[in-house]
Amino acid sequence: MAGAAYVGLPVVVRAADEAALYRVARRRARQKVQRKMRVDVRYSADEHTEILAEARRLNLAGAHYVGAVVMAHLNGDLALPGQRTSHDDLIDELAALRFQVASIGKNVNQIAFKLNSGGHPHPGDTALLAEARRVLGMARDAATSIDAAADKTATSKKAA
């Protein structure tokens, strides 16, 4: 079901997720008045088969399984495939930050290239080259840290 939205990525099913879904489905409290409200949904034949297979595997009725999944999502326990999360926003921010740091590094490289291109050196060129080297190192370290943070965020999003 969820794996279809993420083609090529392995579907990780955690035992805790399955157990929580089973508990949510079983914990539905009786009400004094019978539930009468319905929501009708249409599925393709393949989707219907997948839903019923998973419901059977969890020893639940198909409608009970679908209801438990919907209620889990409404309670914030499930994210829908393709739904943007705070992880997505953070990854986008990190990508934009990395682009800016890379631009700084390119500019410093252009300055260093100009200073190293020969001609008559100016008195401050040596100090400026040393500072350019230091800034390039800082930009490289910042880009590496941003990459590590983006990787950690993406990994934690997959686990969530």
Side-chain angles (χ1 to χ4, degrees):
M1 208 167 48
Y6 300 103
V7 176
L9 293 178
V11 177
V12 178
V13 179
R14 299 181 326 185
D17 292 340
E18 287 186 17
L21 181 60
Y22 189 75
R23 280 193 312 276
V24 167
R26 292 292 184 207
R27 262 195 235 152
R28 211 165 150 199
R30 284 213 173 264
Q31 295 182 349
K32 292 180 182 180
V33 179
Q34 182 181 6
R35 291 178 173 95
K36 294 181 182 181
M37 302 304 296
R38 291 177 57 129
V39 175
D40 293 326
V41 183
R42 296 183 187 272
Y43 301 103
S44 70
D46 290 341
E47 292 168 335
H48 186 258
T49 301
E50 284 184 57
I51 290 168
L52 291 181
E54 184 64 12
R56 268 188 228 106
R57 194 179 70 71
L58 294 171
N59 197 27
L60 298 171
H64 210 155
Y65 171 69
V66 171
V69 170
V70 168
M71 294 312 294
H73 173 71
L74 291 176
N75 291 324
D77 297 333
L78 282 176
L80 297 174
Q83 182 181 31
R84 285 194 63 83
T85 65
S86 59
H87 284 89
D88 296 313
D89 295 338
L90 179 58
I91 290 168
D92 289 347
E93 287 292 324
L94 290 168
L97 181 60
R98 190 184 194 298
F99 179 79
Q100 301 243 338
V101 170
S103 296
I104 292 169
K106 289 176 189 173
N107 288 341
V108 173
N109 265 335
Q110 290 172 353
I111 293 167
F113 178 77
K114 181 77 172 165
L115 291 173
N116 285 324
S117 64
H120 302 293
H122 296 294
D125 285 356
T126 304
L128 187 56
L129 276 172
E131 185 64 15
R133 190 173 300 122
R134 188 182 74 75
V135 171
L136 273 175
M138 289 172 55
R140 189 178 309 107
D141 292 346
T144 301
S145 296
I146 292 167
D147 288 343
D151 183 58
K152 184 176 181 180
T153 302
T155 302
S156 69
K157 179 184 179 195
K158 288 179 191 174

